[in-house]
Amino acid sequence: RELTPTLLAAQRFPSRVPYVQVVVSSKTDGIARLRWQRLYEGIEPVSYSAAAFSGGGALLRVRVGNSADNYRLYFQRVAAPGPSADFSNWEALDIWECRGVAIAARNAEALIFWLDTNLVLRYIASADDGLNWSSPITLDNVTALPVDGLAAAFQPNGDLAVFFTSAASLYIKKRLGGNWHSKSWWGKTTGDINSIAVVADGDWRLLV
């Protein structure tokens, strides 16, 4: 870029006081730009995946295998995630034919949700920071394909919501005060939904 006439004049001025100062800031509208660092580049097939942090600071990751693997569910627990951590070890769970996966964690509790080929929503639960898991539990049914979207999030008080798609509909299944409630439709008309994400921030906030 060419210097402006005023900068060229300042460059030729005999005095250095006052001086021209250029400030470079890694921010946009006052918000710092994140400098991402790649910690791991694996060979896992591209498929459904999700991650959450436990109350103890462990990184809990889940993923679904590809068609050659019969869409098997895999789990990983990294106790101390960081540049020196091993992100390559996966535990193959005895769960197959998964159409989507989600995980939510709070304190020592964690739940993994998935949708199977019978259009059934199931989950397994851990009460010890993701070290041990329960047997699969049936939670609800889905009415129609495709069912590609699945997400879950805890509120700080322990309330939990699971969001899942069924063709052009999105449903919410909530656990309030420790009790699961009937699923409800979100009440909006859209085309087919193929991806969703959720975070608890006062209410549950959705990205569809």
Side-chain angles (χ1 to χ4, degrees):
R1 298 192 179 191
E2 294 183 359
L3 294 177
T4 64
T6 51
L7 285 175
L8 287 171
Q11 190 180 52
R12 292 191 292 266
F13 200 71
S15 172
R16 296 188 179 181
V17 180
Y19 57 87
V20 178
Q21 183 180 26
V22 177
V23 177
V24 179
S25 176
S26 184
K27 293 183 178 181
T28 301
D29 294 331
I31 301 173
R33 294 180 180 178
L34 299 179
R35 297 189 177 185
W36 296 99
Q37 177 184 3
R38 185 183 296 277
L39 298 182
Y40 172 72
E41 187 170 4
I43 58 173
E44 296 86 359
V46 176
S47 186
Y48 302 107
S49 62
F53 279 98
S54 72
L59 173 61
L60 310 178
R61 301 170 69 201
V62 286
R63 67 176 179 87
V64 176
N66 56 16
S67 58
D69 199 20
N70 209 15
Y71 302 107
R72 190 172 190 174
L73 190 62
Y74 291 82
F75 171 72
Q76 179 186 94
R77 182 182 187 273
V78 181
S84 61
D86 184 0
F87 296 92
S88 63
N89 292 325
W90 292 91
E91 177 187 356
L93 303 180
D94 193 20
I95 299 170
W96 312 81
E97 296 293 343
C98 299
R99 289 186 174 272
V101 66
I103 186 169
R106 171 186 170 271
N107 297 337
E109 184 181 14
L111 291 91
I112 297 174
F113 301 88
W114 71 94
L115 290 159
D116 65 18
T117 53
N118 295 320
L119 304 185
V120 177
L121 177 64
R122 305 181 192 275
Y123 75 94
I124 54 177
S126 172
D128 56 6
D129 218 42
L131 292 171
N132 298 283
W133 296 89
S134 69
S135 299
I137 301 168
T138 298
L139 189 58
D140 216 317
N141 293 317
V142 184
T143 56
L145 294 172
V147 290
D148 294 321
L150 183 61
F154 272 104
Q155 291 284 359
N157 66 353
D159 289 342
L160 173 66
V162 186
F163 299 82
F164 54 97
T165 64
S166 176
S169 296
L170 185 141
Y171 291 93
I172 306 112
K173 182 85 174 180
K174 294 181 181 180
R175 191 189 73 178
L176 305 176
N179 299 311
W180 287 104
H181 290 232
S182 299
K183 69 183 178 186
S184 58
W185 176 51
W186 74 330
K188 300 182 185 300
T189 301
T190 65
D192 284 354
I193 304 170
N194 57 32
S195 185
I196 55 176
V198 63
V199 63
D201 179 22
D203 200 347
W204 283 282
R205 299 184 182 274
L206 279 167
L207 181 66
V208 178

